[in-house]
Amino acid sequence: YSRFTDVIGLTMAHMDGKDHDSRRSIVAPPMVGKNLEESLLPHVRSASEKIAGGLDREGPFEARSRLGKQLPLKTMVRLLGLSEKDEGFLSDVTTKVIRALQGDEPYKSIGRAAHDSFALLLADLIGERGKNPESDLLTSLINSEDEEGNRLSESEVISFMSLLLVAGSETTELGLTNFLQVLLSHPDHLSRAETDSEYLNACFTEFMRRDCVVAYEDRGVTEEIEIHGVSIKPGEFVRVALLSANNDETI
């Protein structure tokens, strides 16, 4: 909990109950289903084509930096309504913030300073979108509300975009790179996936189940519980092994 809040502030990921439900109902609609496909999918396709077009077809290249890192970066730039000239700044902020989440100095202070710069940029953008709305996620977050008419404050919009920056960068980067490695290790599946988009989608779904991008997550306990005869007290942490759950080694 404190590893995140000390660097990027309080986010909806660290809320429970009504507080979490309210904020989730505000941020979810622009990011799922048809809304997401119409606003983002064309950009992801064009960005993917541009990245692929810039690769050296005659020799080897480093897949993580040339492919895995570039697509989520360009997507985040689009979500924020920024331009290509901002990619370097956003990449630097992302790297420093993720490193800061490990909690050790001097990286924690460096990451917090980088996030402060990102927050200032977002504050300016929020002011601009309030006067001149655009077709980006930031505008949607500013104007969306829950069933009771509540909207996100400026600080909440900033904290959510910061969470998205962290959650959508390294995980996507590793996911894309590892998925490519799996396909290359199974040339028969790769050959079919190259000509069958539905099969490619099925391969990716199975990859996410079998290999998992996030192997485990920690969850803080708010009330005393007992699991398999073990008593867990409030304030203690439970490590949820997602990779184990998806593969179930007990079978």
Side-chain angles (χ1 to χ4, degrees), residues 39-51 71 75 78:
S39 64
L40 199 59
L41 189 56
H43 170 76
V44 171
R45 284 175 174 160
S46 63
S48 299
E49 291 171 357
K50 184 175 182 179
I51 293 169
L71 187 56
T75 302
R78 171 62 180 176

Side-chain angles (χ1 to χ4, degrees), residues 121-131 138 142 154 157-158:
L121 172 65
L122 285 179
D124 289 340
L125 286 173
I126 291 170
E128 291 179 12
R129 297 299 186 274
K131 299 175 183 177
L138 201 55
I142 294 170
E154 178 180 291
V157 172
I158 291 174

